[in-house]
Amino acid sequence: MTPTVVAIHIAKGRRLPMQAKDRVEVEAGKGIVGDRYHGAKHRHVSVQSRESLDQAAEIFGREVLSELTRRNITISHGPVPRDPGALLRIGDVLLEAVRVAAPCKLLDDTIGAGAQEALRRRAGTVFRVLEGGSIAVGDPVLQPDLLPIT
């Protein structure tokens, strides 16, 4: 089964609460319109897997809500490409992996003590936007050769 977008979140500024969206516009070379990283050099969009969050929840001992990780896009399942240069297409948007999104200490404050460690190696990937467009909840997620990821 092809993974799909299950949640989209943006924040207008650092440490401001994440806002859920059904659809966002994404600009090539800039990122998600209205997000705090829009216009950043490389950190345009962050993507995580709900499946990885569920694994983190088993370690952490309670649910890890998508919006509390401060990532933009949550996909239903499957691995999120981690290698720099790997491609991911979501909706109209083509993304290129820049680096692993390491969980920060702030997660222990917002989610609870131990969240940072539970999310280690499960916190997703930071991407730059090569081709803009829109991303909506329900959009399919395709990998480098643009076939569904499994």
Side-chain angles (χ1 to χ4, degrees):
M1 181 190 300
T2 302
T4 60
V5 174
V6 295
I8 302 171
H9 292 93
I10 65 170
K12 292 186 186 283
R14 190 172 169 223
R15 292 194 178 247
L16 291 178
M18 298 295 281
Q19 301 171 343
K21 301 289 183 183
D22 292 327
R23 172 181 296 278
V24 289
E25 292 303 315
V26 183
E27 293 182 324
K30 292 190 175 185
I32 299 173
V33 175
D35 187 60
R36 68 199 178 283
Y37 290 111
H38 184 261
K41 186 173 181 181
H42 298 295
R43 185 187 177 105
H44 297 159
V45 178
S46 54
V47 180
Q48 65 188 354
S49 171
R50 182 70 247 168
E51 185 175 34
S52 293
L53 295 180
D54 292 344
Q55 292 168 357
E58 287 180 27
I59 295 164
F60 183 55
R62 65 177 190 240
E63 182 180 15
V64 176
L65 300 174
S66 298
E67 64 269 23
L68 295 181
T69 63
R70 307 206 52 85
R71 304 294 180 250
N72 299 123
I73 308 294
T74 304
I75 66 172
S76 58
H77 64 281
V80 175
R82 299 166 54 116
D83 296 332
L87 300 177
L88 193 66
R89 184 173 292 281
I90 304 176
D92 302 329
V93 177
L94 182 62
L95 304 172
E96 179 185 29
V98 175
R99 64 176 172 80
V100 170
C104 68
K105 182 74 174 141
L106 180 63
L107 296 177
D108 281 355
D109 296 337
T110 58
I111 299 173
Q116 180 184 16
E117 183 58 34
L119 285 161
R120 194 171 314 281
R121 292 176 300 285
R122 296 175 187 88
T125 303
V126 173
F127 291 86
R128 79 178 53 127
V129 181
L130 300 180
E131 296 175 9
S134 63
I135 295 176
V137 171
D139 279 349
V141 180
L142 307 168
Q143 217 171 346
D145 55 6
L146 303 183
L147 295 174
I149 62 175
T150 56

